[in-house]
Amino acid sequence: MKLLPPDSVRLLSSSQVITSVVNVVKELLENSLDAGASSIDVKLENFGLDRIEVRDNGHGVKAADASVMAVRHFTSKICSHEDLEHLETYGFRGEALGSICAVAELIVTTKTEEDDISTQYTLDPTGKIVSQKPSHLGQGTSVTALKLFKNLPVRRQYYTSTKKCKEELKKVQDLLITYAIIKPELRLSLVHNKVVVWQKTKVADNRSALLATLGPSVVANLLQCHQQQEEPEIVLDGFLPKPGADYSSTSSSAPDKTFLYVNNRPVQLKEIMKLLRQHYCAQYLEDAVRNRYPILMLNITVSPSSLDVNLTPDKSQVLLHDKEAVLTAVEALLVSLYGFRPSSDSSAEKQLSHVKAVPSLSPLQTDALEEGKEGGVVHDLSLNVEENILDDEHEHGGAVSSTVNAHTLIDRQPSNGSSSSSIADDWIVSHIPTEPQSDFSLCEIEMSENISVESLTDTESPAADASKGQIPAEDWSRGTALIDPSSGEALQPITIHQPSKPNQSDLAQVKGQSSPNKKMVNAITEKGAALTAYDMISNRTIRGPLSAAALFKKEARAEVLREKPTASLQEISIAVHERWKNLREEDRKKYEEQAKKHLEHHGQKTKQASEDRCKEPAANTKAQMPGQKRKAPLSNQQLLDELFTVQPQKKLKMPDCKPTQPLPCSVAALRLQLQRLSSRSHATPRDLQLVNRLASQNAWVILCGQKLMLLNAFGVNEALLFKRLLEDNILPATSLQNPVQLTDGNLGGAQYTETLCGMEKHKPELDGGVFFSDLRLVANGFKIKLTGGLMSAERHLEVTAMANCVSFLGVEDLREILTAILHRNASTVKECRPLKVRSYLQSEAVRLARQLPTSLSREDAEETLQRMKLQLSEDNRACIHGRPFLHHLKIFSGS
C-alpha cells in the first residue's frame, strides 16, 4: 500500500461518513471483491448494531501493509488520480476502513497465500494497530465492526424502532442481491442472529444468477439482449421484459428490482431509468402501469477513460462523458425490442390543442402553469386567444388591430357543499389588484398578455389604449364584464347537471323558456377551451390529452433546469418559449404526432365511460317530479330500520338429523373369534401378523399373540436406517490446510498411541509415510498419516483429513474411538462410533425416513415387519427416540 500524493487526495477526498449499517456492508463487500474473493459471508447481530462481520477468501492483506491498511488515503488500487482513467476496482480512495474505525471498534483478521497462519489485528479510532495475535482462520480477510455508532448516540437512536431496523436489514439484503446478479461466480450469504436470511451459490452466468435471486417465474418473462457499438465503444448486456408480457409479473411498485450497472458497478442513472420506464409503459394502456418500475438487469460497458465515478462518497452515481451516445444506444435497443413508442409521460394529459396559433407566451402565464403542476393538482392552463381582425379597408390602410383576450385561472378555496364552482374559475385572469378601491364595486382586471402580430403597427388609437387595461365597474356589477368568445354572450352561472333523464314536461318547460334564436352555452360541457387536466364524463374523472406544446415544454423545462439550476420561473418560461419558437419543423411534427395519439386515446376513454353510463338501470335515473317532496331512498330507509330497530332474536333451527343405519356389532362375538384364533396356537404364541389398516390413523393393526397392537412403521424405518448407517456409512474426509499433530498428551497417554499404531495400515508411500486403512478410523472421518517408523522416538503421527459434515469433530472423538478399542475390545465400526458421529447419523436416519411414503401398502407393511423381525432383536424394538414400535390397541364398548 502507498500513500496517495496530496494533489490526488484533494481531488479524490469525499469526506466519507458512515451513516448506516448498509454503508459499512457495502464498503467491506467492495473491498472483498477487489481482493478477488469468490466466497463472501456477511453476519449481523442485532441488525448490525452490535456486530457486523464480512469474511472472504480473497488475497488477504500482506503483513507489511497491515500497519497502514486502515489509515486514510493509503490504498493499493491506484497510485494517483490519473489511474482513474483505467480503473478496474470498486474502491480507490483508501477511506473505507478509516471511516468505519471512527464509528465502531474494528477487528481485522487476514492471511495471504504466503503466510503460515492468520493474524488478528485490533485497531483504534484513527486506524492504527493496538494489538495483534495469531488466529485459526484460513486464507482471506475477515473484518468485524463492533458496537456501531457507540460514540454517536443520536445516530444509534435512529435504530431504536424495530421497523427501522428491519428496513435496514432489507437494504443489506437488496445490496447483496445487486452484487450477486452482476457477479454470478460469487457465493454470498447473509446471516442475522445466527439464522441464514439469504444465500446464493456459485452459478455459471447472469441468467442463472437472476434465477437464484428473483425466481423462475420472473426470469421466464425476461429476454436476454445484447448490443455493441464501435464508435464510441459501448456494449449493452442485460435481460429486459418480454414485449407484451403481463405487467404484474414484469414490473414492481418500487425500483428495487431494476438493476443498472456501468462497467459492472451498480449505479443510479435517472435519464436511463426514465427512458426504460417510458418505453416499457408505452406498451400498456392501463394507468396503473405508469407508477410501476420494470424488472430488468442492464449492464453498460464503456471505456474506463470515459467514466467518472468520483462524484459521491458512496460511488452510486457516475458521470458518463459520452452520455448522449449511451442514451442513443439504450434507446436503439429499446426500440428494436418494443418498437417505436412516444417518449411522453401521461401523468398530466390535458393540454391545449390550439397553442400553435399563439406566437408567444408571457412568462407570467407559463409560471402560473408551472405553479399549478407543482402544487399537486395539475391544471392545464390554456390561452384562449381571440383576434378581432378589422375590416379589409383597415387592412389596406396599413394597420391591423389585434385585441387579445388572455385569461388566467383564479385561485379559489374549494367548496364543501357543491361540486360546481364560479364561472370565473373556467377563465384565466392574470392579476387581481389587492389594494382597496375607493368604490367597492370597482374591480380592475389587468390583462397580462398582449400578443403582437407581425403586421401590427406601432400606432394605436387612444381610445383602445384607454379601454384595453380596464373593465367598467357597471359591466362587472351587471355580470357582463366577461364574454364567452364562442357565443359572444356574457358568461352565465354554471348549471349543475343531475344524472337523471328529464320527463316530457320538463323538456317542454325548458324549450318554452329558451329562445329559438339564442343558444344557451353551458360552461362545463360546451366551454371554449380545455382548462383542467381531467374531464368529468358521467361523474368520472378521465385524463385529457396532452398538446404538442405541452409535451415539448415538459422536456425542455427539465433541460433548462439542468443547464441553469438557479434560474427563476420567469427565466425558465422565457427559455422554454424561445426553444419552442425556434424548434425545427420536423421536431414540431414529432410532438404533434404524439399529441394526436394522446387525443385518440382520450376519445376511446370518453366513449367507454359514456357507454358504461348508459348501461345503468333506469330505476336509478328516475327524475323527481316538480313540487314533489324529496324523500330518502327506500333502500336507505330499509337499511336504517335494520340497523336501529331492535328485533327479537330468532330461534335457531335445529339441523336435521342425518340418516343413520345400525350395523350389527358385538364385542363378545369379536372376543370369541379372537379366542378361537389364539387357541389354534395352543400355549405357544404365534408370530406377528398383519390384520388390517386403520385409514384414519394411517397405521396398521397387527396380531401379536393374543393382543391387538398398532405398528409404528415410521419408527421401524428410522431404526433400520440408523442401524444400517452405523454399520456401513463412511464419513467423507476433507483435507486440512494445517494437519493436526498427534502426541501422547492430546491422545490421553502412551497406551492410546500404541493402540493407534497397532491398527491396520496401507502400504508405505514413496516418502516413507503410511496412511491408516482401518475402517474404525476411516468410517468415522479420520485420515491419519504415520511417518518415521514405529519406534516411539522416530514416529510422527498427524491427522491430514477430517470429516466436515460433523460439527466440532476433533482429537477428542479420536480418543473416544481408541478408548472403545482399548477398554471394550471394540472390533466393528458400529461399536467404535463416537457420540458426535452417532448423533449425526441419527439425524440422517430421521431425514431419510421422512422421505419415505407415509401411507404403506400391505406388501410394504409386510416387508417392513419382516425386516424388523430379521434385523432388530426383541430388546431393541424401539425407535431412535426411545418410543416402542408396537402400541396396545384398546377397545371400549358402549353401555
Side-chain angles (χ1 to χ4, degrees):
M1 291 187 180
K2 297 181 180 179
L3 177 63
L4 292 174
D7 56 345
S8 298
V9 171
R10 285 193 297 270
L11 291 174
L12 301 180
S13 180
S14 64
S15 300
Q16 174 75 8
V17 178
I18 301 299
T19 59
S20 62
V21 175
V22 70
N23 288 148
V24 179
V25 176
K26 182 178 186 296
E27 296 297 335
L28 299 181
L29 180 65
E30 291 183 347
N31 281 349
S32 299
L33 294 175
D34 291 340
S38 61
S39 176
I40 302 176
D41 297 308
V42 179
K43 299 180 181 179
L44 307 179
E45 291 183 8
N46 189 20
F47 301 97
L49 297 177
D50 294 344
R51 181 186 180 92
I52 302 174
E53 181 181 355
V54 178
R55 181 181 299 182
D56 62 66
N57 61 346
H59 303 315
V61 181
K62 297 180 181 179
D65 298 333
S67 59
V68 293
M69 63 182 173
V71 179
R72 287 182 178 270
H73 310 307
F74 275 87
T75 181
S76 60
K77 299 168 186 177
I78 63 173
C79 296
S80 64
H81 63 274
E82 288 85 0
D83 295 340
L84 293 179
E85 296 185 358
H86 46 82
L87 182 68
E88 295 182 355
T89 58
Y90 288 101
F92 52 86
R93 296 192 184 105
E95 295 181 349
L97 290 181
S99 300
I100 298 174
C101 286
V103 295
E105 298 177 2
L106 202 65
I107 299 175
V108 180
T109 305
T110 183
K111 177 182 180 297
T112 62
E113 189 177 359
E114 294 79 13
D115 296 336
D116 296 331
I117 59 173
S118 59
T119 306
Q120 177 178 310
Y121 300 94
T122 303
L123 308 178
D124 64 0
T126 62
K128 297 181 180 179
I129 297 176
V130 177
S131 62
Q132 67 182 66
K133 61 181 180 179
S135 178
H136 66 285
L137 297 182
Q139 180 178 343
T141 304
S142 175
V143 182
T144 304
L146 304 174
K147 301 178 182 178
L148 187 65
F149 303 138
K150 63 173 183 177
N151 53 350
L152 298 173
V154 176
R155 266 187 216 168
R156 194 175 180 93
Q157 188 179 4
Y158 176 78
Y159 295 101
T160 54
S161 172
T162 306
K163 181 181 178 181
K164 299 291 185 184
C165 294
K166 291 182 179 179
E167 290 176 355
E168 195 71 13
L169 183 61
K170 179 64 168 57
K171 291 179 182 179
V172 174
Q173 181 178 344
D174 293 342
L175 175 71
L176 298 184
I177 291 176
T178 303
Y179 284 94
I181 292 175
I182 198 62
K183 295 285 186 180
E185 72 282 357
L186 180 65
R187 188 197 73 83
L188 275 170
S189 68
L190 174 61
V191 179
H192 178 245
N193 291 343
K194 300 182 180 179
V195 177
V196 178
V197 177
W198 177 85
Q199 61 181 351
K200 170 199 162 287
T201 59
K202 178 182 177 181
V203 293
D205 50 15
N206 296 114
R207 181 179 180 84
S208 302
L210 288 170
L211 282 170
T213 53
L214 302 182
S217 60
V218 175
V219 181
N221 293 315
L222 298 182
L223 188 65
Q224 186 171 7
C225 301
H226 174 79
Q227 181 168 318
Q228 187 170 0
Q229 180 176 315
E230 297 296 337
E231 188 64 31
E233 184 178 357
I234 300 173
V235 179
L236 304 178
D237 290 293
F239 292 83
L240 303 179
K242 291 182 179 179
D246 185 12
Y247 71 87
S248 61
S249 59
T250 57
S251 63
S252 63
S253 58
D256 57 345
K257 293 184 180 179
T258 303
F259 303 99
L260 295 179
Y261 306 89
V262 175
N263 290 1
N264 296 338
R265 180 189 298 274
V267 295
Q268 298 175 5
L269 297 173
K270 294 183 179 179
E271 293 87 353
I272 294 180
M273 175 69 82
K274 180 181 179 181
L275 199 62
L276 292 170
R277 292 187 65 190
Q278 286 179 350
H279 281 264
Y280 172 78
C281 296
Q283 306 176 84
Y284 308 97
L285 298 178
E286 293 84 352
D287 293 338
V289 189
R290 311 304 174 190
N291 297 325
R292 297 181 67 86
Y293 296 83
I295 300 176
L296 57 88
M297 174 261 180
L298 181 62
N299 184 23
I300 304 172
T301 305
V302 297
S303 173
S305 59
S306 63
L307 178 68
D308 187 2
V309 297
N310 188 31
L311 292 182
T312 57
D314 58 355
K315 300 182 282 290
S316 62
Q317 298 182 15
V318 297
L319 179 63
L320 295 169
H321 296 172
D322 299 326
K323 184 178 71 172
E324 296 299 330
V326 173
L327 291 175
T328 304
V330 173
E331 187 169 13
L333 175 62
L334 296 175
V335 169
S336 65
L337 182 62
Y338 301 114
F340 177 74
R341 303 288 182 183
S343 58
S344 62
D345 187 2
S346 62
S347 62
E349 297 184 357
K350 192 69 179 173
Q351 284 287 352
L352 293 174
S353 61
H354 60 277
V355 175
K356 297 180 293 182
V358 183
S360 62
L361 295 176
S362 70
L364 182 59
Q365 288 172 332
T366 312
D367 291 346
L369 187 133
E370 296 298 331
E371 292 173 1
K373 288 187 177 181
E374 294 173 356
V377 180
V378 183
H379 295 285
D380 189 1
L381 305 179
S382 61
L383 295 178
N384 184 13
V385 180
E386 182 183 46
E387 297 182 359
N388 298 324
I389 308 299
L390 298 180
D391 296 335
D392 294 339
E393 54 191 9
H394 293 90
E395 294 181 1
H396 296 307
V400 178
S401 299
S402 175
T403 304
V404 179
N405 187 13
H407 310 277
T408 300
L409 185 66
I410 301 177
D411 295 334
R412 78 272 187 186
Q413 296 294 332
S415 174
N416 296 329
S418 175
S419 61
S420 62
S421 59
S422 173
I423 193 64
D425 294 341
D426 284 344
W427 302 99
I428 301 173
V429 180
S430 65
H431 179 68
I432 298 179
T434 58
E435 298 179 1
Q437 305 293 332
S438 58
D439 187 2
F440 184 78
S441 63
L442 178 62
C443 178
E444 296 180 358
I445 302 178
E446 299 180 1
M447 296 303 174
S448 65
E449 183 67 27
N450 293 323
I451 302 177
S452 61
V453 185
E454 295 179 357
S455 60
L456 185 65
T457 59
D458 296 337
T459 61
E460 293 183 356
S461 62
D465 294 339
S467 61
K468 179 175 64 175
Q470 296 182 354
I471 293 178
E474 292 80 8
D475 293 346
W476 181 261
S477 300
R478 294 170 184 170
T480 60
L482 299 178
I483 305 300
D484 188 350
S486 61
S487 62
E489 301 292 337
L491 294 182
Q492 299 297 324
I494 291 176
T495 302
I496 301 177
H497 288 263
Q498 300 291 339
S500 59
K501 295 182 179 180
N503 51 22
Q504 298 297 331
S505 60
D506 293 338
L507 292 176
Q509 184 179 0
V510 172
K511 290 181 180 179
Q513 293 177 355
S514 61
S515 175
N517 299 326
K518 185 176 180 180
K519 181 182 178 181
M520 296 299 295
V521 179
N522 184 275
I524 293 182
T525 59
E526 301 180 7
K527 55 189 177 182
L531 299 179
T532 63
Y534 296 89
D535 284 344
M536 290 293 296
I537 308 250
S538 298
N539 293 335
R540 297 185 184 181
T541 57
I542 296 180
R543 296 178 184 271
L546 284 172
S547 66
L551 292 172
F552 173 78
K553 181 199 68 60
K554 194 174 186 67
E555 297 180 0
R557 183 173 181 271
E559 296 178 359
V560 173
L561 283 175
R562 281 197 301 269
E563 295 173 359
K564 191 176 180 182
T566 59
S568 64
L569 291 177
Q570 185 174 1
E571 294 174 349
I572 295 173
S573 303
I574 295 174
V576 171
H577 171 63
E578 290 297 330
R579 293 192 181 191
W580 171 254
K581 188 175 180 180
N582 301 327
L583 192 64
R584 295 181 302 176
E585 188 65 27
E586 55 270 18
D587 295 335
R588 190 184 294 268
K589 289 182 178 180
K590 181 181 71 172
Y591 289 103
E592 292 175 357
E593 292 176 358
Q594 296 177 13
K596 184 178 180 181
K597 291 183 179 180
H598 277 276
L599 184 61
E600 293 175 356
H601 180 59
H602 175 263
Q604 295 175 1
K605 286 291 188 71
T606 304
K607 183 178 180 181
Q608 182 181 359
S610 301
E611 292 175 355
D612 295 343
R613 179 60 187 167
C614 293
K615 295 179 182 179
E616 293 185 0
N620 296 335
T621 61
K622 185 177 181 180
Q624 183 178 349
M625 296 295 293
Q628 184 180 359
K629 186 177 180 180
R630 184 176 181 181
K631 297 181 180 180
L634 182 60
S635 58
N636 293 348
Q637 188 64 38
Q638 292 177 352
L639 180 61
L640 293 174
D641 294 341
E642 293 177 0
L643 290 176
F644 296 101
T645 302
V646 180
Q647 298 180 357
Q649 296 183 354
K650 296 181 180 180
K651 295 183 179 180
L652 297 177
K653 185 179 179 181
M654 298 299 295
D656 297 336
C657 297
K658 295 183 179 180
T660 59
Q661 181 179 0
L663 296 176
C665 178
S666 175
V667 177
L670 179 61
R671 187 182 295 110
L672 180 60
Q673 187 177 359
L674 293 176
Q675 289 176 358
R676 289 176 181 176
L677 291 174
S678 61
S679 63
R680 296 177 185 178
S681 60
H682 304 289
T684 305
R686 296 187 59 183
D687 203 354
L688 301 177
Q689 293 182 355
L690 286 177
V691 178
N692 205 342
R693 186 170 70 93
L694 290 179
S696 61
Q697 302 297 327
N698 199 14
W700 278 89
V701 180
I702 65 172
L703 182 63
C704 181
Q706 299 181 2
K707 299 179 180 179
L708 288 177
M709 311 284 287
L710 283 179
L711 175 64
N712 182 8
F714 184 80
V716 175
N717 289 326
E718 277 186 355
L720 293 174
L721 288 171
F722 179 55
K723 180 176 181 296
R724 182 176 177 182
L725 291 174
L726 282 178
E727 295 174 352
D728 303 331
N729 188 61
I730 298 177
L731 301 181
T734 304
S735 299
L736 301 176
Q737 293 183 353
N738 298 322
V740 180
Q741 308 297 327
L742 298 178
T743 61
D744 294 344
N746 55 18
L747 285 178
Q751 53 183 348
Y752 290 93
T753 307
E754 295 297 334
T755 302
L756 178 60
C757 293
M759 300 179 74
E760 186 178 354
K761 310 174 188 63
H762 285 294
K763 293 181 179 180
E765 297 186 354
L766 297 178
D767 58 354
V770 179
F771 285 95
F772 287 87
S773 61
D774 197 302
L775 275 179
R776 293 172 292 183
L777 297 175
V778 177
N780 288 308
F782 290 98
K783 186 176 181 182
I784 303 175
K785 183 178 181 181
L786 172 64
T787 56
L790 297 176
M791 301 300 295
S792 60
E794 301 176 357
R795 67 190 175 199
H796 179 72
L797 292 169
E798 62 182 10
V799 180
T800 60
M802 197 179 301
N804 61 355
C805 57
V806 181
S807 301
F808 306 106
L809 188 68
V811 180
E812 296 82 3
D813 303 285
L814 177 60
R815 184 164 62 243
E816 191 175 342
I817 297 173
L818 298 177
T819 301
I821 298 174
L822 183 62
H823 298 290
R824 297 195 298 269
N825 295 324
S827 58
T828 62
V829 176
K830 180 180 179 180
E831 297 172 340
C832 295
R833 293 288 189 182
L835 181 60
K836 294 178 185 176
V837 177
R838 291 179 69 89
S839 300
Y840 168 74
L841 295 179
Q842 283 180 353
S843 63
E844 286 295 298
V846 174
R847 182 180 65 83
L848 294 174
R850 288 178 178 173
Q851 299 177 5
L852 299 175
T854 56
S855 179
L856 299 179
S857 61
R858 176 174 287 275
E859 291 77 10
D860 295 337
E862 289 179 351
E863 181 185 359
T864 302
L865 200 60
Q866 189 65 22
R867 290 170 57 200
M868 183 186 72
K869 297 175 187 176
L870 297 177
Q871 300 183 25
L872 300 177
S873 61
E874 293 285 346
D875 300 334
N876 193 23
R877 291 190 176 179
C879 69
I880 60 179
H881 305 290
R883 301 186 184 94
F885 297 151
L886 303 177
H887 300 271
H888 291 282
L889 179 63
K890 297 181 180 180
I891 301 177
F892 298 93
S893 59
S895 54

